[in-house]
Amino acid sequence: MRVLLLGAGGVGSAAVAIAARRDFFEQVVVADYDPGRAARAAAVGDARFSAVGLDASTPGAVAAACREHRVTHVLNAVDPRFVMPIFEGAFAAGAHYLDLAMSLSRPHPTEPYRRVGVKLGDEQFAAADRWVGANRLALVGIGVEPGLSDVFARYAADRLFGRIDEIGVRDGANLVVDGYDFAPSFSIWTTIEECLNPPVIYEHDRGWYTTEPFSEPEVFEFPDGIGRVECVNVEHEEVVLIPRWVNSGRVTFKYGLGREFIDVLRTLHKLGLDGTRPVRAGGVEVAPRDVVAACLPDPATLGDRMYGKTCAGTWVRGAGKDGAARESYLYHVVDNAWSMREYGHQAVVWQTAVNPVIALELLAEGAWRGSGVLGPEAFDPQPFLDKLVEYGTPWGITNR
């Protein structure tokens, strides 16, 4: 296996650190728009890793890099603006493809908070037949959320439940970053995108529909000492992925953002600072959202100032295999102190990065195989969860 890893930010760098301990691949080429950042990420004292500069905004550039380095698998760890050129470039070069976030959505033009427009991933699923015809796999949404949360959904359907009334992905943390009044632990560009777009909800008898951002607040009890966190509806890929492979009456995604974080996002929106179209200021053109990102600390650099835990998980309600009522939360917790001590990467990016590395290993071993555009739910969850334990980061279940 020869991998082109696109993106040497927090998640890409953490993926290198994790993969360096495994032996399932021949080469990983780390590519980034900034060649210096790619070189720093690849500098792990392992000859299997190399670095190149690459502008991933065009399919041709991605395809050329794949051909030059004889790449078999492309791992896309950049923000979702670049999903389609990387997706198409991998296909053109005859490579398999993995990503952590899917192609961007577009709200319904007249009823954005009632009806879906273009959903997350629609552009990729529209190309599924081409990928099947070429006998190539595009494994989409294989981070932690989406990704591990989807694996949990499939595991619950296969092993725990006879009937599922609702699947709710719930994400919460008690992380604190010293020295900053506002310091997101993940890409602010992506956070703005998913938090301010109309959240999507799925119901079996209604299909997909949308609601207001930050709607339906609920207090969710997270395990391992994190405790009660208020969670709200946010747009996320699980809601469009899970119903394609798992039968459920309802699917939602809710994120524990916190009141202050929500207020900041709403203020950015009111001021137009969440915009992606360039505006002219002082003789230059720049997208407001890029300015916001430039003013905030790089999440990859926050680990030594951060403490606490982050939890990703999938809450499932319905009836167990015995027909009795059942409610379970399948979850994965990472303590920032552990991820910094063991890998030198903060908890949120490490928790995201471990999942595509595991997926690549399963593909290399043949435990996972397929063609077309497939989500994590399309595969047997047990080998993935076994690998998670093997990597030293176990998962858990609480019954409620």
Side-chain angles (χ1 to χ4, degrees), residues 4-335:
L4 176 65
L5 168 57
L6 283 155
V11 173
S13 297
V16 169
I18 296 165
R21 302 189 183 189
R22 313 300 294 185
D23 60 6
F24 64 86
F25 61 93
E26 177 185 349
Q27 186 75 25
V28 173
V29 179
V30 183
D32 196 274
Y33 185 80
D34 178 351
R37 189 162 74 159
R40 289 190 294 275
V44 289
D46 187 330
R48 295 176 300 165
F49 293 89
S50 59
V52 296
L54 178 62
D55 181 351
S57 62
T58 63
V62 175
C66 289
R67 295 185 183 108
E68 178 183 353
H69 298 283
R70 297 179 290 118
V71 166
T72 61
H73 293 73
V74 172
L75 172 54
N76 175 4
V78 301
D79 75 56
R81 284 176 292 180
F82 301 99
V83 161
M84 289 312 294
I86 297 171
F87 177 81
E88 293 293 353
F91 182 84
H96 301 287
Y97 169 88
L98 300 86
D99 65 28
L100 315 178
M102 298 180 69
S103 59
L104 293 174
S105 65
R106 293 191 295 277
H108 190 277
T110 60
E111 298 181 272
Y113 301 128
R114 292 185 59 221
R115 300 170 61 186
V116 297
V118 175
K119 299 190 303 301
L120 292 166
D122 275 357
E123 290 182 84
Q124 291 172 284
F125 281 119
D129 288 346
R130 285 197 290 122
W131 285 78
V132 171
N135 195 29
R136 291 289 181 269
L137 171 64
L139 174 49
V140 294
I142 188 62
V144 60
E145 293 171 340
L148 179 57
S149 52
D150 305 74
V151 172
F152 284 150
R154 177 63 186 268
Y155 181 88
D158 287 357
R159 306 297 177 90
L160 306 179
F161 286 80
R163 185 193 76 245
I164 296 178
D165 298 327
E166 181 168 358
I167 295 174
V169 179
R170 298 294 184 265
D171 180 304
N174 60 2
L175 293 168
V176 175
V177 182
D178 285 336
Y180 291 98
D181 292 329
F182 184 75
S185 57
F186 203 72
S187 163
I188 189 61
W189 201 102
T190 303
T191 301
I192 289 173
E193 183 73 18
E194 62 190 23
C195 290
L196 293 179
N197 279 348
V200 178
I201 295 172
Y202 173 84
E203 292 182 0
H204 184 269
D205 296 331
R206 183 176 176 180
W208 287 287
Y209 66 94
T210 56
T211 184
E212 297 273 350
F214 315 122
S215 59
E216 299 181 357
E218 67 178 49
V219 176
F220 193 83
E221 183 79 30
F222 288 92
D224 283 14
I226 294 174
R228 293 163 61 84
V229 179
E230 184 181 76
C231 299
V232 293
N233 279 320
V234 167
E235 181 191 50
H236 236 247
E237 286 88 347
E238 290 95 325
V239 180
V240 301
L241 284 172
I242 289 172
R244 295 174 184 269
W245 288 279
V246 177
N247 187 20
S248 175
R250 193 169 194 259
V251 182
T252 59
F253 179 95
K254 292 188 179 183
Y255 197 4
L257 293 170
R259 185 54 46 190
E260 180 186 17
F261 201 105
I262 291 173
D263 288 344
V264 169
L265 292 174
R266 282 178 167 156
T267 299
L268 292 175
H269 181 63
K270 287 179 181 178
L271 297 175
L273 294 174
D274 60 329
T276 58
R277 291 185 178 180
V279 298
R280 180 166 290 277
V284 298
E285 289 193 346
V286 62
R289 193 183 301 184
D290 290 340
V291 174
V292 173
C295 290
L296 292 171
D298 180 351
T301 68
L302 297 176
D304 58 354
R305 294 173 173 261
M306 185 185 295
Y307 59 91
K309 299 176 182 178
T310 185
C311 178
T314 303
W315 164 76
V316 187
R317 180 177 58 85
K321 295 295 186 183
D322 60 358
R326 177 166 187 163
E327 184 176 346
S328 301
Y329 182 60
L330 296 80
Y331 67 91
H332 181 246
V333 172
V334 178
D335 187 326

